[in-house]
Amino acid sequence: MAAWVAVRGEVHRPFPQMRHQVLVSRQTWDGALLEGLRRLHGRVQFAVVGNAWPHMRSGMANAGLLKMVDVVVLSCEIGFAKPDPRIYAAARDPARRQPPV
């Protein structure tokens, strides 16, 4: 049994990583959304709360999104995901944006 678990682990290990790479490579941001955020930036406060992969923040930065929003709370950074109420509370309270210890 232990040998099968070891083989199964080797066979399936690359697939989640490959799936993640494919999703990241296809990541795009809706132009109308970005334009709307640009127009409202400074007049309205925005928070992004998302269940996300670890590299989502860099993708958001590359798109210029981080400059247009006030708060970004990502599940991969904080340790809990939507619909857990704690992720929404973290968007409201900076002290709650730290990952759980």
Side-chain angles (χ1 to χ4, degrees), residues 59-76:
M60 295 171 77
N62 292 339
L65 187 62
L66 296 181
K67 296 175 185 175
M68 295 181 266
V69 298
D70 301 288
V71 175
V72 176
V73 178
L74 302 176
S75 61
C76 60

Side-chain angles (χ1 to χ4, degrees), residues 44-92:
V44 177
Q45 289 187 337
F46 287 102
V48 174
V49 177
N51 295 341
W53 294 96
H55 300 291
M56 179 59 75
R57 188 175 291 274
S58 63
M60 295 171 77
N62 292 339
L65 187 62
L66 296 181
K67 296 175 185 175
M68 295 181 266
V69 298
D70 301 288
V71 175
V72 176
V73 178
L74 302 176
S75 61
C76 60
E77 297 173 350
I78 201 160
F80 32 86
K82 297 186 293 183
D84 188 320
R86 293 177 294 174
I87 198 167
Y88 301 105
R92 292 187 315 267

Side-chain angles (χ1 to χ4, degrees), residues 10-23:
E10 290 298 319
V11 169
H12 292 288
R13 184 180 310 165
F15 294 117
Q17 182 180 13
M18 288 177 3
R19 182 175 53 234
H20 170 71
Q21 290 170 347
V22 168
L23 290 172

Side-chain angles (χ1 to χ4, degrees), residues 21-42:
Q21 290 170 347
V22 168
L23 290 172
V24 168
S25 70
R26 293 180 181 177
Q27 180 179 323
T28 60
W29 299 95
D30 182 79
L33 169 70
L34 294 176
E35 183 56 31
L37 288 172
R38 280 187 199 95
R39 288 182 184 169
L40 294 172
H41 178 64

